[in-house]
């Protein structure tokens, strides 16, 4: 089969790779019908995620059809259409029992496209399938569903929930890429007084307005002053960092009010300065986190009922074999205006299931 393989910082290719086989009785093999590219994949290609070894197939989000299952898999079977979660969960360790699947100690967590071969391929092996794939309702299209593998649960859990967004809050989202836009959309569920989006790209700020941002600010034009003006000098109740560079994290800490929350979502490849000389007295809560995807079933129900604006985030579609082109379009979002790109391959005959 074909897959998109990481060969070291700045080097990757869509190339021939071996078909995946079942390795454990809890595995499933999924034929990939839709996949997308994440900002984290770009961080990997830059060399920001040192754990990813050359030769690894990238990608941790997909929709597809089960073609094989191990003997211990109980909740899905060949022919089922499923969402492949970005997080794998063993279901047995301390963290999984607490619903903190992202920190799984039993061989799960974020492993797809990170520690094992991922989803940007024609087929993918998914460990612990019973807890790591979600059967899809027919009302949710592949294109919509794939956005629930990562960006919506990440924005909702790590941004909105960790940030403790409440009715009447002023919420600032720094970074209006796909994660930031999903944070704008899901923050609206809690009826904040206002949502302010900050970014460098005019097209992304316009997308934020369409998704519910009440005000937008160019990151080069002192957005801290806009936040101060709109809050009577108090500052924002919640600031969500959705970029992953030192400058934006430090900007977030300057925007938050005393007693407020800074929720870091961005993937950081460099150290950021924590200005405790200013923050120590302000009762500020700073959270970090990897998504757990415990909200995925809820978000799937919301998508099926039309309550999540998933379609608005998809700006380009490609067939799977144009993976390299899709990466170029997504990485060059400042010039292409791309938000989320979705790739899908032609449907293939399902192979007969094998067991282990």
């Amino acid at each position: 089969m074909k897959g998109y393989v990481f060969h070291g910082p700045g080097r990757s290719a869509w190339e021939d790779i071996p078909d995946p086989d079942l390795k454990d009785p809890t595995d499933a093999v999924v034929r990939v019908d839709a996949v997308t590219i994440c900002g984290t994949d770009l961080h990997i290609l830059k060399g920001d995620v040192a754990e990813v070894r050359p030769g690894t197939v990238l990608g941790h989000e997909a929709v597809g059809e089960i073609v094989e299952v191990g003997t211990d898999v109980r909740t899905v079977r060949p022919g089922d259409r499923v969402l492949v979660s970005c997080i794998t969960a063993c279901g047995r360790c301390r963290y999984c029992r607490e619903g903190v699947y992202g920190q799984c100690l039993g061989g799960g967590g974020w492993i797809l496209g990170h520690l094992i071969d991922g989803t940007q391929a024609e087929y993918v092996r998914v460990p612990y399938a019973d807890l790591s794939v979600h059967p899809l309702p027919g009302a949710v299209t592949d294109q919509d569903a794939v956005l629930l593998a990562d960006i919506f649960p990440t924005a909702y859990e790590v941004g909105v929930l960790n940030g403790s967004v409440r009715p009447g809050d002023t919420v600032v989202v720094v970074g209006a890429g796909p994660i930031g836009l999903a944070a704008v959309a899901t923050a609206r569920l809690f009826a904040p007084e206002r949502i302010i989006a900050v970014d460098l790209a005019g097209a992304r700020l316009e997308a934020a307005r369409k998704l519910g941002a009440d005000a937008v600010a160019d990151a080069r034009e002192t957005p801290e002053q806009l936040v101060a003006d709109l809050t009577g000098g108090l500052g924002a109740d919640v600031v969500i960092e959705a970029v992953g560079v030192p400058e934006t994290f430090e900007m977030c800490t300057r925007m938050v009010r005393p007693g407020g929350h800074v929720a870091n979502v961005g993937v950081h490849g460099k150290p950021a300065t924590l200005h405790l000389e200013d923050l120590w007295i302000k009762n500020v809560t700073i959270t970090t986190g990897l998504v757990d995807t415990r909200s995925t079933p809820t978000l799937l129900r919301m998508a099926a009922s039309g309550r999540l604006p998933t379609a608005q985030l998809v700006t380009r579609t490609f067939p799977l074999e144009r993976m390299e082109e899709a990466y170029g379009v997504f990485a060059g979002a400042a010039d292409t205006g791309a938000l989320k790109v979705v790739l899908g391959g032609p449907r293939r005959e399902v192979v007969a299931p094998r067991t282990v």
Side-chain angles (χ1 to χ4, degrees):
M1 69 171 186
K2 295 279 190 179
Y4 194 67
V5 181
F6 172 69
H7 289 295
R11 296 184 293 119
S12 55
W14 178 254
E15 60 190 49
D16 290 323
I17 56 174
D19 292 346
D21 290 320
L22 300 174
K23 293 184 177 180
D24 297 300
T26 53
D27 289 350
V29 173
V30 177
R31 184 194 64 210
V32 174
D33 292 331
V35 68
T36 186
I37 301 169
C38 180
T40 304
D41 297 322
L42 300 184
H43 280 281
I44 292 171
L45 290 176
K46 291 177 183 178
D48 290 344
V49 187
E51 300 86 6
V52 182
R53 295 174 298 178
T56 301
V57 178
L58 296 183
H60 49 266
E61 309 156 88
V63 169
E65 187 170 298
I66 300 284
V67 296
E68 302 178 60
V69 295
T71 54
D72 287 352
V73 175
R74 297 288 181 266
T75 61
V76 291
R77 59 185 180 181
D80 286 350
R81 178 171 166 263
V82 296
L83 171 69
V84 178
S85 176
C86 66
I87 296 296
T88 303
C90 78
R92 298 174 180 174
C93 71
R94 171 179 174 173
Y95 286 117
C96 284
R97 288 178 178 274
E98 295 173 354
V100 188
Y101 306 124
Q103 304 300 325
C104 175
L105 297 171
W110 173 37
I111 58 173
L112 291 171
H114 180 208
L115 304 180
I116 67 172
D117 286 340
T119 59
Q120 290 171 4
E122 295 176 313
Y123 293 87
V124 59
R125 179 182 71 92
V126 182
Y128 299 117
D130 279 334
L131 287 174
S132 306
V133 302
H134 301 267
L136 284 173
V140 182
T141 68
D142 288 359
Q143 183 169 291
D144 289 343
V146 76
L147 301 189
L148 303 181
D150 184 356
I151 68 163
F152 268 92
T154 294
Y156 182 58
E157 295 176 18
V158 186
V160 176
L161 296 184
N162 279 5
S164 299
V165 175
R166 298 177 297 181
D169 277 354
T170 292
V171 179
V172 179
V173 179
V174 177
I179 291 286
L181 293 173
V184 169
T186 52
R188 292 186 65 201
L189 301 172
F190 292 84
E193 179 182 359
R194 63 176 67 87
I195 300 173
I196 304 166
V198 179
D199 202 280
L200 294 169
R204 291 190 167 191
L205 293 176
E206 182 57 31
R209 282 193 184 276
K210 292 179 180 178
L211 285 165
D214 302 284
V216 299
D218 189 311
R220 294 162 292 203
E221 297 178 0
T222 60
E224 297 100 320
Q225 187 60 53
L226 173 64
V227 173
D229 291 345
L230 290 175
T231 60
L234 185 65
D237 300 284
V238 181
V239 187
I240 298 172
E241 201 285 339
V243 180
V245 297
E247 294 79 6
T248 52
F249 175 78
E250 293 170 30
M251 178 191 297
C252 290
T253 63
R254 294 193 298 269
M255 290 179 172
V256 69
R257 68 166 175 84
H261 289 74
V262 174
N264 183 87
V265 186
V267 177
H268 289 263
K270 297 179 180 179
T273 301
L274 181 63
H275 288 284
L276 285 176
E277 73 277 12
D278 297 322
L279 296 172
W280 73 270
I281 200 170
K282 294 184 177 179
N283 294 27
V284 171
T285 299
I286 299 175
T287 58
T288 65
L290 175 66
V291 65
D292 295 312
T293 65
R294 64 183 182 276
S295 67
T296 302
T298 298
L299 295 171
L300 275 171
R301 292 194 299 272
M302 295 179 66
S305 63
R307 296 186 180 276
L308 286 180
T310 48
Q312 295 182 47
L313 273 69
V314 178
T315 54
R316 295 287 296 274
T317 58
F318 298 86
L320 273 178
E321 62 267 19
R322 289 169 61 188
M323 184 71 71
E324 294 178 354
E325 179 184 352
Y327 259 91
V329 168
F330 185 65
D335 298 318
T336 64
L339 295 176
K340 201 68 172 170
V341 300
V342 174
L343 300 97
R347 297 186 66 87
R348 294 171 174 79
E349 181 181 355
V350 178
V351 300
R354 300 196 304 270
T355 57
V356 295

